[in-house]
Amino acid sequence: MYYFYFTIIVLALILILSTTQILKLNHLKAEQRSAVRDFQKLHKMSDSELLLFKNEMTAAKGHIVAIEEIIQKQPKLKQDEELLTAVEKAKKIFKQLMADPRDLTHFDNFLYRNLPTLQLLLEKYNENGDKLNEVLALSYQNIDLDFQKLQSEEQEKIEEAEAFIK
């Protein structure tokens, strides 16, 4: 008889905990949808622009994560300061694009060519090693150029703001 009551109490607790978790999950999803709508309104994006932005940034994040994983697996790459600097610059460009989605078109080379190329080269590095050093250096330079472009655009915005204030 005690087993019956014990079982009912345990099932009731499981039901209560499950319901609580489901309610929390639904609340989080609602908050996330609200945040996405706010982001969309703030940046005046249509649904198709938002979808494009989401897809491109997901791909870019995937490239950056993959690059970092490759670096962690290769001891020689962990010591390459130029590579580590290029990855940090790529992350800063990513953050800027998250802050200002309208810059997506200005960084098309970064998103579609430079970042995927760097990932591909690092994947091939395991097979070809030192033969890729020159090509990797060019890839670092391309990301550095993208970063310089970001910095010059930020400087232009600052100068415009200063001119507007005067």
Side-chain angles (χ1 to χ4, degrees), residues 63-117:
H63 290 304
I64 292 171
V65 168
I67 289 168
E68 288 180 324
E69 288 174 355
I70 293 168
I71 292 170
Q72 291 304 313
K73 291 177 184 175
Q74 296 285 336
K76 192 172 184 179
L77 293 176
K78 285 182 187 178
Q79 298 170 356
D80 188 345
E81 290 299 320
E82 285 182 291
L83 173 60
L84 299 176
T85 302
V87 171
E88 287 305 311
K89 288 178 179 180
K91 287 180 180 180
K92 288 179 182 177
I93 294 170
F94 181 87
K95 286 179 185 176
Q96 173 59 30
L97 290 174
M98 288 300 294
D100 191 1
R102 296 287 177 190
D103 284 347
L104 199 66
T105 56
H106 294 109
F107 290 95
D108 56 342
N109 279 341
F110 171 75
L111 293 169
Y112 302 121
R113 191 182 71 194
N114 298 339
L115 197 56
T117 300

Side-chain angles (χ1 to χ4, degrees), residues 130-145:
D130 293 331
K131 296 177 187 176
L132 293 175
N133 283 340
E134 290 178 28
V135 180
L136 276 171
L138 290 173
S139 184
Y140 304 158
Q141 289 173 359
N142 287 335
I143 289 179
D144 187 54
L145 290 173

Side-chain angles (χ1 to χ4, degrees), residues 7 10 16 20 23 29 38 45 49 61 75 77 81 92 113 128 142 161:
T7 305
V10 169
I16 290 170
T20 305
L23 290 174
K29 284 182 181 180
D38 292 345
M45 299 171 74
E49 289 173 326
K61 182 179 179 181
L77 293 176
E81 290 299 320
K92 288 179 182 177
R113 191 182 71 194
N128 300 326
N142 287 335

Side-chain angles (χ1 to χ4, degrees), residues 15-33:
L15 180 64
I16 290 170
L17 291 175
S18 298
T19 304
T20 305
Q21 292 300 321
I22 290 171
L23 290 174
K24 283 182 184 178
L25 184 61
N26 285 339
H27 180 69
L28 288 174
K29 284 182 181 180
E31 285 181 1
Q32 184 180 20
R33 282 191 297 271

